[in-house]
Amino acid sequence: MRVLVLNGPNLGRLGKREPAVYGYTTHEDLAALCEKAGTEMGVEVEVRQTDHEGEMIGWLHEAADESRPVVLNAGAWTHYSIAIADACAQLTAPLVEVHISNVHKREDFRHHSYISAVASGVIVGLGVQGYPLAIKWIAEQ
Ligand code: DQA
């Protein structure tokens, strides 16, 4: 099994970006954490990040065509992108939506997700630890 971990806009700046909200783990550290979880669970994990919506949609199409499970943190797109949600709706393998921060404790505009309705499940507010948890859950399916 190959799991795609897809991170959206501004997540490449983890570690530098609002550390009080997102912590000090860099995207590189996060990728290592995900790969370690994959090794422990015996699944291949590939981590990607983009600030470009079209590129993210292309990766989701690839996951749909290859029936690959996805862990997705769509960042701000979560809250307004019907195009990302439409791409997620085409996935046939499990999709876990992850948010590092507890979006429900934050501004109202972060309370709604277009992705949750098409996700298998959602992990919110557990910091970067949400990613290995999502990978472990996927590996057990
Ligand atoms: C986020 C929460 C979003 O509201 C925000 O736009 C992000 C990160 C999170 O991981 O907590 O970019 O998805």
Side-chain angles (χ1 to χ4, degrees), residues 24-104:
Y24 288 96
T25 304
T26 64
H27 191 268
E28 205 183 333
D29 297 337
L30 172 63
L33 197 69
C34 292
E35 280 151 20
K36 183 169 167 269
T39 304
E40 283 167 15
M41 297 304 291
V43 296
E44 233 181 284
V45 171
E46 195 181 329
V47 183
R48 301 180 192 172
Q49 188 274 329
T50 184
D51 294 321
H52 303 278
E53 193 173 5
E55 185 167 35
M56 177 63 83
I57 290 170
W59 291 345
L60 290 165
H61 291 169
E62 177 191 321
D65 289 344
E66 295 174 5
S67 290
R68 291 178 71 176
V70 172
V71 175
L72 175 65
N73 185 344
W77 292 328
T78 305
H79 313 300
Y80 68 85
S81 177
I82 296 168
I84 297 282
D86 283 349
C88 289
Q90 299 171 45
L91 298 170
T92 50
L95 165 66
V96 180
E97 175 184 355
V98 170
H99 298 286
I100 295 166
S101 65
N102 182 351
V103 285
H104 301 291

Side-chain angles (χ1 to χ4, degrees), residues 124-135:
V124 161
L126 302 185
V128 291
Q129 291 304 328
Y131 290 78
L133 287 171
I135 291 164

